């Protein structure tokens, strides 16, 4: 049974966010307008973000509650989006349990000592709420300021975290990751199981602090064939979703280049399946099947085109999504750093106006 089909948890039921357009869409209920939020909306393209982050390394900024709250709120104030996404990074829980890593500008997360042997698994200890006390504090600040606007918690999915850990950083071909997955399937399964436990614990902290929904990002899983996903990834992702199921909050699952995996990603336990820009929303609905809301899926690069073109392409997404049980409008991936913030503001206004009921 999905979180959308069972009674909502007490925390969500009494929350002022329960009747928000975003949560209604996630639950596949009638909405006053199609809700909008953007992945990576917290910062990146905003001058106010660059100002408050100046001179502060990425990981350090994720551990400063007042700064996290400010950055998370900036796009809500500017764009009037229907949900906030917690400002953090998918490697934060790994850093919190003692993994030696850093986020290098222009590169991404870099792991000092990659995990490639059974002995390395011992470095992946359990995550406790005390490890990420700054998350609880930041979400407390946020929910007080957000009011009826929902906050989305998030975490990296086990496969993507494993890829960073095994490769030692970002990878184009995931050769070390796939070599481990194919060459030592038991070690691979044990690695993903440990990461599922850590990820589930991280999401629980966010929900208990006040997050109204959670999204699991599987940024690199599009590198896999469906058979490999079902055998080697789905069990761990399902374990994460099952860990937070008792809270009754909507669970979103998103990956890049995952058109062939959409149905399987829904099977993993998501209530909402995120769709990148490569598959039209109506076709995505066919692949996912009934009983799920969908999220997406304007190509982010479209935002660099003239306003009339942006509106035309946006309308194509809305038309393709017109028959869905529930639709949350989003880009097909994240906001780009060089994107004009005003284009995002206009996009939110356009979607709200065109879908007002």
């Amino acid at each position: 049974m999905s979180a959308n089909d069972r009674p909502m948890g007490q925390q969500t039921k009494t929350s002022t966010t329960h009747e928000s357009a975003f949560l209604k869409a996630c639950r596949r209920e009638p909405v006053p307008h199609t809700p909008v939020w953007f992945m990576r909306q917290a910062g990146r393209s905003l001058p106010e973000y660059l100002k408050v982050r100046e001179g502060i390394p990425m990981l350090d900024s994720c551990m400063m509650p007042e700064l996290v709250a400010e950055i998370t709120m900036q796009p809500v104030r500017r764009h009037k989006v229907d949900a906030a996404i917690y400002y953090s990074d998918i490697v934060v829980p790994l850093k919190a349990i003692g993994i030696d890593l850093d986020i290098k500008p222009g590169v991404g997360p870099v792991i000092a000592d990659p995990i490639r042997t059974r002995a390395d698994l011992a470095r992946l200890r359990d995550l406790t709420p005390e490890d990420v006390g700054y998350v609880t504090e930041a979400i407390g600040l946020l929910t007080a300021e957000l009011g009826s606007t929902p906050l989305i918690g998030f975490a990296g999915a086990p496969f993507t975290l494993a890829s960073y850990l095994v490769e030692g950083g970002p990878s184009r071909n995931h050769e070390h990751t796939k070599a481990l997955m194919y060459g030592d399937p038991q070690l691979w399964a044990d690695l993903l199981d440990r990461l599922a436990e850590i990820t589930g614990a991280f999401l629980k902290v966010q929900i208990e602090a006040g997050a109204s929904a959670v999204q699991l990002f599987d940024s690199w899983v599009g590198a896999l064939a469906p058979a490999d996903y079902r055998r080697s990834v789905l069990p761990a992702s399902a374990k994460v979703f099952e860990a937070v199921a008792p809270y009754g909050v909507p669970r979103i699952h998103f990956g890049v280049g995952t058109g062939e995996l959409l149905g399987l990603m829904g099977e993993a336990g998501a209530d909402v399946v995120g769709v990148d820009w490569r598959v039209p929303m109506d076709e995505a609905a066919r692949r996912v099947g009934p009983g799920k809301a969908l999220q997406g899926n304007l190509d982010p690069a479209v935002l660099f085109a003239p306003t009339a073109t942006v509106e035309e392409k946006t309308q194509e997404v809305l038309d393709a999504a017109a028959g869905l049980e529930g639709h949350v409008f989003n880009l097909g991936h994240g906001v780009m750093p060089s994107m004009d913030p005003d284009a995002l503001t206009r996009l939110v206004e356009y979607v709200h106006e065109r879908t007002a009921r």
Side-chain angles (χ1 to χ4, degrees), residues 9 53-54 58 78 82 117 119 158 169 171 180 230 232 252 275 291 306:
R53 264 286 316 279
E54 189 174 5
M58 175 66 188
R78 180 189 274 258
D82 294 280
T117 69
S171 172
L180 178 60
R230 179 180 290 281
S232 303
I252 310 168
V275 185

Side-chain angles (χ1 to χ4, degrees), residues 48-58 61 67 71 87:
E48 54 265 42
Y49 163 80
L50 298 176
K51 182 177 180 180
V52 298
R53 264 286 316 279
E54 189 174 5
I56 303 175
M58 175 66 188
S61 71
L67 182 59
I71 292 172
Y87 172 76

Side-chain angles (χ1 to χ4, degrees), residues 174-341:
H174 308 281
E175 54 265 40
H176 294 294
T177 303
K178 291 186 176 183
L180 178 60
M181 184 178 71
Y182 295 135
D184 193 340
Q186 187 57 58
L187 175 56
W188 173 260
D190 293 343
L191 170 59
L192 260 66
D193 189 70
R194 290 292 301 120
L195 292 171
E197 292 177 0
I198 293 165
T199 300
F202 189 54
L203 290 178
K204 287 179 181 180
V205 168
Q206 295 175 68
I207 296 169
E208 291 179 0
S212 297
V214 291
Q215 174 158 306
L216 194 64
F217 283 85
D218 217 344
S219 308
W220 304 123
V221 79
L224 298 183
D228 292 329
Y229 179 92
R230 179 180 290 281
R231 176 178 56 250
S232 303
V233 175
L234 192 152
S237 294
K239 183 172 182 174
V240 175
F241 285 124
E242 187 59 32
V244 298
Y247 294 95
V249 303
R251 300 161 295 175
I252 310 168
H253 201 4
F254 174 77
V256 185
T258 53
E260 298 301 319
L261 305 177
L262 289 173
L264 291 168
M265 292 174 71
E267 282 184 37
D271 305 297
V272 184
V273 177
V275 185
D276 73 11
W277 67 93
R278 297 171 177 87
V279 180
M281 295 301 286
D282 48 357
E283 171 60 17
R286 187 191 68 78
R287 296 183 186 188
V288 171
K292 309 284 183 183
L294 295 186
Q295 178 177 280
N297 70 333
L298 184 69
D299 184 343
V302 168
L303 270 295
F304 292 96
T307 299
T309 303
V310 174
E311 293 179 351
E312 177 185 349
K313 300 299 288 184
T314 300
Q315 192 60 51
E316 289 178 9
V317 173
L318 295 175
D319 290 344
L324 301 185
E325 295 181 71
H327 178 219
V328 175
F329 188 93
N330 208 313
L331 302 181
H333 198 202
V335 170
M336 300 178 189
S338 57
M339 205 169 273
D340 177 8

Side-chain angles (χ1 to χ4, degrees), residues 11-35:
Q11 171 195 347
T12 309
K13 186 184 296 184
T14 58
S15 170
T16 57
T17 65
H18 185 256
E19 295 302 310
S20 65
F22 169 72
L23 290 180
K24 279 178 170 285
C26 290
R27 299 193 302 264
R28 296 175 284 121
E29 297 173 359
V31 291
H33 59 262
T34 298

